Amino acid sequence: MEKISKIRNIGISAHIDSGKTTLSERILYYCGRIHRMQEVHDGNGEGGATMDFMDLERERGITIKSAATQVAWHGRCINLIDTPGHVDFTVEVERSLRVLDGAIMILCAVGGVQSQSFTVDQQMKRYRVPRIAFVNKMDRVGADPERVRRDIREKLGLNVVPIQLPLGLANDFEGVIDLVTMEALTFEGDDGEDVVRGPIPPAYQTAAAKARHEMLDALSMYDDEMMERLLDEQPVEEALIRRTIREATINRDIVPLMMGSAFKNKGVQPLLDAVCDYLPSPLDRPSFARDHNNAGTETPLASDPDAPLTAMVYKITDEPFGQLSYIRVYQGTIVKGGQYRNARTNRLLRVGRIVRMHANDRQDITDAGPGDIVALLAVACANGDTLCGEGINYSLESIYVANPVISLSVTPASNADQERMAKALSRFMKEDPTFRVSTDPQTSETIIAGMGELHLDVYIERMRREYKANVTIGAPSVSYREAPTVEAKFDYRHKKQTGGAGQFAHVVGRLVPLPAGHESSYEFEDNITSGRIPGEYIPAVNKGFQAALKKGPLAGYEVVGCKMCLDDGSHHPVDSSEMAFRIAARDAFAEAFRKSRPCLMEPIMKVEIEMPREYQGAIVGDLNSRRGMILETEGRDTCAVVRAEVPLACMFGYATVVRGLSKGMATFSMEMSHYARVPAKLAEEIVHQRREKQAARK
């Protein structure tokens, strides 16, 4: 257990370009994992950051795939995952946070809480992950940690408690003041490797004393002993402060706030100390699984190496030598050569090789215990699978997967390209749950769907590079949805006589629109009493409704926002069957949906644009012309930040437009917000065009 208590499983998450990969590189260097720090933009496939090992990542200067490694810091073992910042690759963040015990949330000292900071915050809250907030880029002009702290409190609703103060700002940033020990920390040496602790300079003593008092006051809310000491005006020991910060952080009552400049090699070592001191070990984070031998009851898992194995496959990648499956072990020990059962398929699998990952390099190991994050080679499993030891049948909560919002067609140039493209798409779909592939039934075109233009662009480029598949890309299209607006009743009788046994099914009920923002897009309610419809046919009715959702009668788009209530019906003792009730439900749905005044729904994107003030008018005017709704404008020195909600249909190719309007000086980020109703006139045009296209195909 002592070994497990020294493990820290952490992820680094933030808005794009906040310095995640740069910070990861410093952590690797200071922990002795690498001997020379490299930068994100070191160059075109040669050099480049250690954790960005794909050529595309190094060329574009962004993280596309999460990368795992293990480092040691002062006797503690840290499993580190660097995650992408771009929202198009959000599934990489989702599955990483699902298996991590703690996280570092990075915020830019100038940008503060940005659009994707909200997404990262929601993901951490979804998986109840304790975190430390790190304000990076303190060396930049315009750095304002106090505004960042205020933004975290007001915009993210987090109880953030600063445990450091900066020594200077922007070009004068020299280090930090540790409010726990009341020391000034500066970083010397060629790479900031020497941490020098000294007295707080006189100019900062008043501010430091005030900040320490505020910190202790905030912490005393979570510890009675500290509260008593403060009320009695007694000194508070350092050990008590550290214990209180740790307990409150693990309970997610507070978020400690630290600061530094990863690029200038300042503030990284104290952050590593805080990871070890304040973030939880596997023993501190209770985990639960569903016990399918006991009616699916929730069962706590023990971080015990001798317990039956329970491990989760959180990510897979296909490689030339076979599938690489990343796993997190929750209890028990997985041993090379051992046999374990896949809870989803109920099949035994043999573990031939276990490796510890360091970005794209791997080190063979013989076993892995509770808290370990490792990878298995050539084992047949899928994302989200649970591996179980002998005598148990557990399954762990799966990973949240968002639905795609954009699609386009891909056409191979030849039969050979068709085969290569099929292999590539099969691999990508297996690795990435947010990447979907389908075939248009009218044209037989292959349609790929994903989270954004960059998401699909990266996969198309990988198809061409890694599989040498020459493909032609069709115009991108929006994934519209159809939804009811009013309640509609149905009373449908399916009756068919074929000479022998016939078909009979009768269903009566209501289609009820679900409220906007409802968690699920479909619900089924069974109100049948007195055996009017036998129980064995009820699941068939539900399946019939679900089948009808895939293609709405309005324009053939997927239907969402429906609650189907089955209130009554009848059956025939001979002619009724599951098939008959499935057909009846499908046709009853189509009948009711047409009476529900259906509308078209479109994805609305949350857009954040940062630009010099002189271009604000032109950019806001352009957003208004795109049916955008301006939510907020904010001034930051010479820059302005505009936040808006804009329909995805109006945002294709926006990167080129915004560069033109700002002479290349504006930056923007965009992510999915919600679905909203398409204006009636525009909806008519979309439906008309869709029907014309379908008619032309026939």
Side-chain angles (χ1 to χ4, degrees):
M1 291 297 180
E2 185 181 348
K3 179 184 176 184
I4 299 170
S5 69
K6 294 181 178 179
I7 295 175
R8 299 290 182 272
N9 292 320
I10 65 163
I12 300 179
S13 301
H15 180 89
I16 190 169
D17 202 29
S18 293
K20 295 177 298 302
T21 303
T22 303
L23 178 62
S24 298
E25 197 76 4
R26 270 60 186 170
I27 290 174
L28 295 180
Y29 177 76
Y30 294 132
C31 292
R33 173 58 88 163
I34 58 175
H35 302 292
R36 184 173 78 88
M37 290 183 284
Q38 308 214 52
E39 305 305 335
V40 172
H41 298 282
D42 266 359
N44 301 330
E46 299 177 9
T50 307
M51 301 296 268
D52 286 349
F53 55 84
M54 289 175 62
D55 289 345
L56 273 173
E57 291 179 313
R58 293 180 172 180
E59 288 173 19
R60 293 173 182 250
I62 61 172
T63 301
I64 293 171
K65 283 189 171 186
S66 59
T69 189
Q70 186 182 84
V71 296
W73 182 254
H74 294 174
R76 307 289 173 88
C77 171
I78 301 175
N79 290 311
L80 174 70
I81 298 182
D82 176 31
T83 62
H86 203 289
V87 73
D88 283 19
F89 310 106
T90 188
V91 73
E92 293 286 339
V93 187
E94 288 281 352
R95 55 188 172 194
S96 299
L97 289 175
R98 170 64 185 83
V99 297
L100 292 170
D101 298 319
I104 300 170
M105 181 175 72
I106 303 181
L107 299 115
C108 174
V110 179
V113 173
Q114 297 166 281
S115 61
Q116 283 154 233
S117 306
F118 288 95
T119 306
V120 168
D121 174 61
Q122 289 168 357
Q123 290 168 327
M124 290 183 181
K125 287 174 179 172
R126 181 180 296 128
Y127 299 111
R128 303 179 62 80
V129 177
R131 70 188 95 167
I132 293 171
F134 181 72
V135 181
N136 194 24
K137 303 189 178 183
M138 290 291 295
D139 59 306
R140 278 186 56 188
V141 174
D144 188 347
E146 179 57 31
R147 180 175 55 79
V148 177
R149 182 193 67 81
R150 197 165 55 246
D151 280 358
I152 297 173
R153 280 183 178 273
E154 294 173 1
K155 296 180 179 179
L156 301 183
L158 298 173
N159 183 18
V160 63
V161 177
I163 59 174
Q164 290 180 342
L165 277 186
L167 276 172
L169 291 172
N171 294 330
D172 298 326
F173 180 65
E174 297 176 6
V176 295
I177 296 170
D178 187 335
L179 298 177
V180 176
T181 61
M182 290 301 278
E183 294 175 312
L185 277 62
T186 54
F187 305 88
E188 298 180 358
D190 294 338
D191 297 309
E193 64 272 19
D194 299 324
V195 182
V196 179
R197 292 180 174 269
I200 299 171
Y204 293 94
Q205 285 180 357
T206 303
K210 181 185 176 186
R212 179 183 168 88
H213 177 75
E214 290 174 354
M215 177 190 75
L216 294 176
D217 190 47
L219 293 175
S220 67
M221 302 298 291
Y222 307 101
D223 189 273
D224 292 340
E225 183 183 347
M226 186 181 291
M227 176 74 79
E228 288 176 11
R229 285 185 169 275
L230 289 178
L231 291 173
D232 294 340
E233 297 184 355
Q234 294 179 354
V236 182
E237 294 89 352
E238 182 183 325
L240 177 58
I241 298 173
R242 293 190 185 280
R243 189 192 75 198
T244 306
I245 295 175
R246 176 176 173 77
E247 290 175 356
T249 302
I250 291 173
N251 292 332
R252 298 169 57 247
D253 292 322
I254 68 165
V255 175
L257 182 71
M258 306 182 73
M259 52 201 68
S261 169
F263 184 67
K264 292 294 179 67
N265 309 318
K266 294 176 180 176
V268 179
Q269 297 96 321
L271 179 63
L272 280 166
D273 291 336
V275 165
C276 296
D277 290 343
Y278 307 137
L279 289 182
S281 74
L283 296 173
D284 300 314
R285 285 288 310 282
S287 300
F288 298 89
R290 296 282 179 192
D291 184 357
H292 296 288
N293 288 339
N294 192 16
T297 54
E298 198 169 64
T299 304
L301 298 175
S303 296
D304 180 358
D306 298 323
L309 177 75
T310 306
M312 182 180 192
V313 180
Y314 73 93
K315 175 182 173 180
I316 61 172
T317 59
D318 263 343
E319 302 196 354
F321 50 79
Q323 179 176 297
L324 190 66
S325 306
Y326 291 77
I327 67 164
R328 156 75 193 261
V329 181
Y330 285 92
Q331 75 172 24
T333 304
I334 190 166
V335 181
K336 179 181 178 181
Q339 282 197 329
Y340 307 95
R341 194 173 53 78
N342 185 328
R344 178 180 59 86
T345 62
N346 206 27
R347 292 181 178 176
L348 285 176
L349 51 86
R350 184 179 177 278
V351 175
R353 190 176 167 199
I354 307 174
V355 294
R356 196 176 299 287
M357 300 300 296
H358 173 53
N360 202 33
D361 298 328
R362 57 210 68 184
Q363 168 196 351
D364 280 280
I365 57 175
T366 56
D367 58 65
D372 278 337
I373 294 177
V374 295
L376 312 179
L377 272 76
V379 170
C381 53
N383 281 309
D385 281 357
T386 303
L387 306 183
C388 297
E390 190 175 349
I392 62 170
N393 185 14
Y394 289 172
S395 67
L396 292 156
E397 179 193 356
S398 196
I399 300 156
Y400 172 80
V401 178
N403 288 319
V405 296
I406 183 174
S407 62
L408 50 81
S409 63
V410 287
T411 308
S414 66
N415 287 337
D417 289 312
Q418 168 75 46
E419 191 175 329
R420 288 192 283 266
M421 183 184 83
K423 286 182 181 178
L425 294 180
S426 175
R427 172 188 171 183
F428 299 155
M429 194 163 47
K430 189 177 179 184
E431 292 181 356
D432 184 351
T434 60
F435 180 76
R436 312 278 172 85
V437 180
S438 60
T439 303
D440 189 306
Q442 275 83 29
T443 63
S444 298
E445 285 181 320
T446 300
I447 308 295
I448 60 173
M451 301 303 296
E453 288 184 277
L454 178 62
H455 190 207
L456 297 184
D457 183 39
V458 163
Y459 278 121
I460 290 162
E461 188 62 28
R462 287 185 63 191
M463 210 184 306
R464 289 170 174 157
R465 290 189 185 194
E466 298 174 25
Y467 288 86
K468 305 294 186 286
N470 185 15
V471 296
T472 305
I473 309 305
S477 60
V478 178
S479 295
Y480 291 102
R481 300 283 189 268
E482 298 179 25
T485 59
V486 298
E487 184 174 319
K489 294 182 179 179
F490 59 86
D491 184 345
Y492 189 84
R493 193 181 302 268
H494 173 66
K495 191 174 182 180
K496 188 175 182 183
Q497 199 66 39
T498 56
Q503 291 183 9
F504 179 87
H506 178 212
V507 290
V508 180
R510 295 161 292 132
L511 185 159
V512 181
L514 290 170
H518 199 271
E519 287 186 5
S520 62
S521 59
Y522 166 77
E523 287 184 3
F524 176 68
E525 186 177 288
D526 174 17
N527 297 322
I528 297 296
T529 57
S530 306
R532 297 282 293 170
I533 297 176
E536 62 265 27
Y537 297 144
I538 302 298
V541 175
N542 189 11
K543 287 178 182 176
F545 288 146
Q546 291 184 39
L549 292 172
K550 294 177 181 176
K551 194 172 183 181
L554 192 64
Y557 293 109
E558 183 183 342
V559 177
V560 296
C562 290
K563 179 179 180 180
M564 301 304 297
C565 302
L566 182 62
D567 299 330
D568 200 0
S570 59
H571 72 288
H572 189 280
V574 177
D575 292 347
S576 289
S577 64
E578 286 190 10
M579 179 61 71
F581 273 98
R582 189 180 295 193
I583 294 169
R586 184 194 66 197
D587 294 345
F589 178 89
E591 178 187 275
F593 191 72
R594 288 190 182 94
K595 294 189 290 186
S596 69
R597 298 181 196 166
C599 68
L600 211 59
M601 308 286 285
E602 64 180 343
I604 304 296
M605 310 304 287
K606 185 163 60 178
V607 183
E608 182 177 290
I609 310 160
E610 186 173 343
M611 74 219 85
R613 287 179 185 270
E614 59 263 33
Y615 303 115
Q616 182 176 346
I619 287 174
V620 168
D622 178 70
L623 288 175
N624 287 329
S625 72
R626 296 170 183 269
R627 296 193 286 129
M629 179 186 292
I630 307 301
L631 302 177
E632 183 184 10
T633 58
E634 180 185 342
R636 294 177 186 165
D637 297 328
T638 59
C639 289
V641 178
V642 174
R643 297 182 182 90
E645 289 181 348
V646 192
L648 174 62
C650 302
M651 292 300 289
F652 292 130
Y654 184 67
T656 305
V657 174
V658 78
R659 287 191 196 109
L661 290 172
S662 64
K663 297 183 180 178
M665 299 174 72
T667 59
F668 85 102
S669 61
M670 180 172 69
E671 63 180 306
M672 172 69 182
S673 174
H674 62 280
Y675 270 86
R677 190 169 178 173
V678 179
K681 189 175 179 182
L682 186 59
E684 287 176 13
E685 292 177 14
I686 294 168
V687 171
H688 179 67
Q689 290 172 5
R690 176 86 166 178
R691 287 175 177 169
E692 276 190 341
K693 193 175 181 182
Q694 289 172 344
R697 289 169 178 170
K698 292 177 182 177

